[in-house]
């Protein structure tokens, strides 16, 4: 993806803002365009993903091995930020491995139990990064000796760690791209500007580290606020895929009673990405509200030209079949969409 000229950036900004500002009644023609673009990216295939420690059992597919592609926290339950939307709750669902030795034992267990790989994550430091440096040699060893697929949740990327990640040969770097300074400060408790995420992607680009940026729709108290800028920043770089997730209220957090973004708002973000970054796989990731909200979101994601969905509902299977799509199932992380849709 080439560097945009000032005129191209203005045009892109106008198009993104227009899409996000449309009412539901004006989206139908965009769905038709987006669906066609999605097929140009990956043909008629769509990846459905069921990784991690989650027990996934539907009429169409069952995945019950907890080590098939688990998430591992290198900080255990500790996080220096305790963001308003998470408050460290997500870390409690991960396997703790707080030393390189513990991480090696976990990775060996994943291999021994038939797992394909794992996501290595953890709580954030006050700088907004996951403190991965001391674990990179272990990751490189696991790639070399165990043949696992390993993606890393990096958080903000800094120069002193990006070369280590490149040398380790990780399969992907995942990071949330936050486009609003207000959200960064109020929700994530970080003393940073949105440009920090732009610089992070540039560093990953410069060192050739596969990059799968995420946008958390509705992170700012359930409202669209900064998503347009996040899309603009991603469009400047060369992501291997773009993953859309959505804020969902979690027990034990200050935002537990916050209304999540609507399925239509999530769809508008996906449409804006699909139509302005047309040559990159687009994924609906695992984090999103459950129930009827999730069923509707899945269907709208398919209409929006998604190339993959994590933990799809049964309604998503049925709609994909009606659309004539070839479903490809995977127990790996949805960020590895390129492997699935070859």
């Amino acid at each position: 993806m080439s560097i945009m000229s000032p005129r191209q950036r203005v045009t892109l900004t106008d198009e993104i803002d227009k899409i996000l500002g449309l009412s539901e009644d004006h989206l139908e023609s965009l769905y038709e365009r987006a669906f066609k673009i999605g097929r140009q990216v990956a043909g008629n295939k769509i990846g459905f993903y069921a990784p991690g420690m989650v027990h996934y059992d539907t009429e169409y597919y069952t995945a019950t091995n907890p080590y098939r592609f688990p998430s591992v926290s290198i900080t255990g339950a500790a996080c220096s930020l305790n963001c308003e939307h998470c408050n460290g709750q997500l870390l409690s669902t991960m396997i703790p491995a707080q030393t390189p030795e513990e991480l090696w034992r976990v990775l060996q267990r994943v291999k021994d139990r038939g797992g394909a790989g794992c996501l290595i994550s953890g709580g954030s430091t006050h700088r907004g990064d996951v403190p991965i440096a001391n674990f990179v040699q272990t990751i490189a060893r696991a790639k070399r000796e165990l043949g696992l697929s390993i993606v890393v949740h990096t958080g903000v990327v800094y120069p002193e760690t990006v070369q280590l990640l490149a040398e380790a040969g990780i399969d992907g770097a995942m990071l949330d791209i936050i486009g609003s300074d207000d959200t960064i400060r109020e929700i994530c408790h970080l003393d940073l500007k949105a440009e920090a995420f732009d610089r992070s992607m540039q560093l990953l680009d410069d060192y050739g580290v596969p990059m799968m940026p995420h946008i958390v729709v509705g992170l700012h108290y359930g409202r669209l606020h900064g998503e347009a800028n996040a899309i603009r920043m991603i469009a400047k770089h060369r992501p291997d895929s773009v993953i859309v997730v959505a804020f969902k209220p979690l027990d034990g957090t200050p935002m537990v009673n916050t209304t999540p973004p609507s399925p239509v708002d999530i769809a508008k973000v996906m449409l804006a990405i699909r139509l302005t970054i047309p040559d990159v796989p687009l994924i609906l990731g695992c984090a999103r509200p459950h129930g009827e909200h999730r069923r509707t979101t899945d269907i709208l994601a398919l209409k929006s030209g998604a190339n993959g969905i994590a933990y799809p509902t049964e309604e998503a299977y049925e709609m994909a079949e009606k659309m004539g799509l070839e479903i490809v199932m995977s127990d790996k992380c949805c960020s590895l969409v390129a492997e699935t849709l070859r």
Side-chain angles (χ1 to χ4, degrees), residues 53-324:
M53 304 290 286
V54 177
H55 181 94
Y56 181 77
D57 189 1
T58 71
E59 177 184 340
Y60 296 88
Y61 191 75
T62 299
T64 57
N65 175 8
Y67 284 92
R68 61 193 185 274
F69 206 100
S71 298
V72 180
S73 172
I74 60 170
T75 66
C79 179
S80 297
L81 298 181
N82 289 317
C83 301
E84 297 289 300
H85 67 296
C86 172
N87 199 31
Q89 297 300 310
L90 293 175
L91 298 174
S92 66
T93 67
M94 302 180 186
I95 301 172
Q98 295 179 254
T99 66
E101 294 76 19
E102 288 179 18
L103 179 60
W104 177 249
R105 287 193 290 271
V106 170
L107 295 174
Q108 283 185 307
R109 199 180 315 146
V110 170
K111 180 68 174 180
D112 292 344
R113 299 194 182 183
C118 71
L119 163 64
I120 296 179
S121 186
S124 178
T125 73
H126 288 294
R127 302 195 311 165
D129 62 329
V130 176
I132 196 72
N134 290 340
F135 297 84
V136 170
Q137 287 188 357
T138 303
I139 294 170
R141 182 185 175 192
K143 291 292 302 171
R144 186 174 62 250
E145 297 183 17
L146 303 179
L148 296 174
S149 296
I150 297 179
V151 291
V152 176
H153 176 211
T154 62
V156 177
V157 176
Y158 289 94
E160 60 268 27
T161 56
V162 67
Q163 184 172 350
L164 295 174
L165 293 171
E167 292 172 352
I170 64 171
D171 295 274
M174 304 199 305
L175 66 164
D176 295 340
I177 305 302
I178 306 174
S180 162
D181 294 347
D182 296 336
T183 307
I184 294 169
R185 182 182 63 255
E186 296 175 24
I187 305 299
C188 298
H189 307 157
L190 273 171
D191 186 21
L192 292 173
K193 301 292 186 183
E195 288 79 6
F197 298 96
D198 198 356
R199 289 194 300 271
S200 295
M201 289 188 285
Q202 187 61 58
L203 283 168
L204 294 168
D205 270 349
D206 290 345
Y207 281 83
V209 179
M211 173 176 59
M212 298 84 171
H214 288 48
I215 293 180
V216 186
V217 181
L219 183 58
H220 195 86
Y221 305 106
R223 307 192 304 272
L224 295 184
H225 185 77
E227 285 84 353
N229 191 39
I231 298 169
R232 286 193 292 272
M233 288 193 289
I234 292 170
K236 292 165 57 180
H237 301 284
R238 295 185 297 276
D240 287 64
S241 61
V242 181
I243 300 173
V244 173
V245 294
F247 160 73
K248 66 174 184 177
L250 296 175
D251 291 338
T253 70
M255 292 175 64
V256 64
N257 294 317
T258 301
T259 301
S262 69
V264 171
D265 278 345
I266 299 167
K268 286 195 285 189
V269 172
M270 296 194 75
L271 285 167
I273 295 167
R274 179 77 294 162
L275 296 173
T276 60
I277 314 177
D279 54 346
V280 172
L282 173 63
I283 310 296
L284 179 63
C286 54
R288 58 193 191 275
H290 292 288
E292 184 60 34
H293 189 292
R294 192 181 193 92
R295 290 188 283 271
T296 302
T297 299
D298 285 8
I299 290 170
L300 294 182
L302 290 169
K303 294 177 64 176
S304 300
N307 301 110
I309 299 178
Y311 302 117
T313 58
E314 294 190 350
E315 287 78 5
Y317 285 92
E318 293 163 4
M319 178 60 74
E321 290 176 344
K322 285 182 181 178
M323 290 175 160

